[in-house]
Amino acid sequence: MDKKNNNVIILGVESSCDDTSAAIIKDGYLLSNVISSQAVHSAYGGVVPELASRAHQQNIIPTIDQAIKRAGINKSDISAIAYTRGPGLMGSLLVGTSFAKGFALALDIPMVEVNHLQGHVLAHFIKEEGVEPHIPEFPFLCLLVSGGNSQIVLVNSPFDMKIIGQTIDDAAGEAFDKCAKVIGGPYPGGPYVDKLAKEGNDKVFNFAKPHIPGYDYSFSGLKTSFLYLVRDYLKEDPGFIEKNRADLCASFQRAVIETLMEKLKHAVRDLKINRVAVAGGVSANSGLRNAYQEYASRYGWDIYLPKFSYTTDNAAMIATAGMFKYMNGEFDSMDSAPYSRVSDGI
Ligand code: KG4
């Protein structure tokens, strides 16, 4: 059997933060995508790296086993293993990297390393049997917004991505998480703020907006502005949060979305590329999705919104990114080590 062109089966493994995930794709089509989330962090209001690595160590084998079983294949059918090499939490990445090496050695198959951020962008190329694909043509722009990143990426090909703007401090997801924390909400805070924002008036409160040159973002000022506003009102009325929770969320969410969309609009105009995607955990936000729809009808954008299950960390996107590399003959070596940050490019 010629595994290179036919019956290419890729096992994808994701372990960069607090989700252990495994997926199988066959000839480009997704057969399974299993995600084991780690509830342990919610008690701490954020991801505890040490606990995350331990949980990955416990979850990785059962998660991969489930993915293989649900796909209805055998281990021996797998052509290559694609894994997240970085960026992310070092201890978490080490679990996935070590697993990938052991698996590749045991089955005598190649290993493909995937950049987690490229994985998020390439989530738009996940194909499912019976689902009409809506895949962007190259080049396109992708707003990548997660708990650790806020970037505008120019995507020229699966292998050529350029960050043209990024946050100079906090990520949009971090801002959502902080907002929820200030008003006593859970971690992660994004879904909580999103839900409450639907019931609130987004014009009640105004927050300081950053003035950053180019396509870069900043969210730390907005976070502080929110914190100070709540603190000042609480001095006058201890029941302030309780009475204004939904309006606070709606107003804060509007500020984040306006900031994100304004820069994106400039990038689209300047680069004359009207294919615009969104990716990462924050792309699940309903207000941001509505804003995309509005911009699409107002400015003629061709928009690409990922399925909800592919917005947060998942291995389907890692397997998909890995498939592109596999087909291009880009394999990884046994001495490769994970990296926690990317300083340049994506
Ligand atoms: O991509 P992701 O799962 O993890 C990485 O950071 O890589 O993103 C997680 C982030 C968290 O900050 C979470 O609060 C945010 O995505 N998030 C949301 C929503 N769902 C998740 N933010 C706003 N609205 C949402 N519906």
Side-chain angles (χ1 to χ4, degrees):
M1 179 180 65
D2 179 5
K3 279 189 172 180
K4 185 133 177 59
N5 300 310
N6 230 320
N7 286 331
V8 172
I9 298 185
I10 310 280
L11 164 64
V13 177
E14 157 63 28
S15 75
S16 66
C17 190
D18 60 338
D19 291 303
T20 319
S21 181
I24 300 283
I25 58 172
K26 182 178 178 189
D27 296 332
Y29 282 86
L30 186 69
L31 298 185
S32 65
N33 182 41
V34 180
I35 304 175
S36 308
S37 298
Q38 304 176 359
V40 63
H41 307 288
S42 60
Y44 299 91
V47 177
V48 183
E50 185 75 20
L51 296 179
S53 349
R54 270 190 243 174
H56 281 303
Q57 195 71 268
Q58 288 166 333
N59 294 343
I60 195 152
I61 303 280
T63 307
I64 285 163
D65 193 46
Q66 268 303 309
I68 291 173
K69 283 194 177 121
R70 283 191 207 171
I73 60 154
N74 293 313
K75 271 205 304 272
S76 54
D77 300 331
I78 296 172
S79 318
I81 176 163
Y83 74 100
T84 304
R85 185 170 162 211
L89 300 172
M90 187 46 80
S92 295
L93 291 164
L94 278 165
V95 177
T97 307
S98 305
F99 176 87
K101 289 183 183 183
F103 196 81
L105 264 180
L107 292 186
D108 193 23
I109 54 172
M111 250 180 10
V112 180
E113 58 112 11
V114 173
N115 172 317
H116 179 77
L117 303 176
Q118 289 194 353
H120 271 302
V121 173
L122 295 173
H124 288 283
F125 294 80
I126 296 170
K127 287 193 283 185
E128 289 171 273
E129 213 65 69
V131 179
E132 187 65 38
H134 183 52
I135 290 175
E137 266 176 41
F138 298 108
F140 66 93
L141 288 168
C142 185
L143 176 68
L144 175 50
V145 269
S146 68
N149 297 278
S150 298
Q151 307 173 330
I152 300 178
V153 184
L154 168 61
V155 190
N156 290 312
S157 81
F159 316 105
D160 177 6
M161 299 189 196
K162 193 165 177 268
I163 298 170
I164 60 166
Q166 62 187 320
T167 181
I168 58 164
D169 41 53
D170 300 329
E174 250 176 301
F176 273 106
D177 295 338
K178 179 71 180 179
C179 164
K181 197 170 182 179
V182 169
I183 58 171
Y187 176 85
Y192 173 82
V193 174
D194 189 358
K195 188 161 174 267
L196 281 167
K198 287 183 191 146
E199 300 154 21
N201 177 347
D202 67 3
K203 304 282 186 313
V204 175
F205 301 105
N206 284 304
F207 303 103
K209 290 244 193 73
H211 295 283
I212 310 293
Y215 307 126
D216 284 342
Y217 291 116
S218 164
F219 289 102
S220 78
L222 178 61
K223 247 171 52 175
T224 313
S225 169
F226 183 79
L227 180 69
Y228 287 176
L229 180 136
V230 172
R231 190 191 61 185
D232 293 346
Y233 274 108
L234 275 177
K235 282 183 199 153
E236 292 163 22
D237 175 9
F240 171 74
I241 294 179
E242 213 46 61
K243 291 174 201 155
N244 295 281
R245 208 178 282 277
D247 293 343
L248 279 166
C249 289
S251 305
F252 179 83
Q253 183 168 293
R254 173 175 63 85
V256 175
I257 294 170
E258 282 177 358
T259 305
L260 289 171
M261 297 307 285
E262 202 52 31
K263 291 288 172 100
L264 189 57
K265 187 176 85 182
H266 291 155
V268 170
R269 184 195 59 198
D270 299 346
L271 277 80
K272 300 185 176 53
I273 295 173
N274 78 335
R275 286 176 295 278
V276 197
V278 62
V282 181
S283 67
N285 185 269
S286 55
L288 183 60
R289 285 172 170 253
N290 290 341
Y292 259 69
Q293 301 285 3
E294 265 174 52
Y295 277 61
S297 48
R298 203 182 313 155
Y299 302 112
W301 290 10
D302 202 354
I303 57 166
Y304 299 86
L305 310 175
K307 205 171 143 181
F308 282 103
S309 43
Y310 306 139
T311 57
T312 46
D313 293 347
N314 66 85
M317 68 186 195
I318 302 302
T320 302
M323 182 202 61
F324 281 115
K325 284 189 150 184
Y326 178 88
M327 299 313 266
N328 213 29
E330 286 184 44
F331 303 121
D332 199 17
S333 66
M334 278 291 153
D335 58 2
S336 111
Y339 53 89
S340 52
R341 287 173 187 277
V342 264
S343 52
D344 196 19
I346 177 171

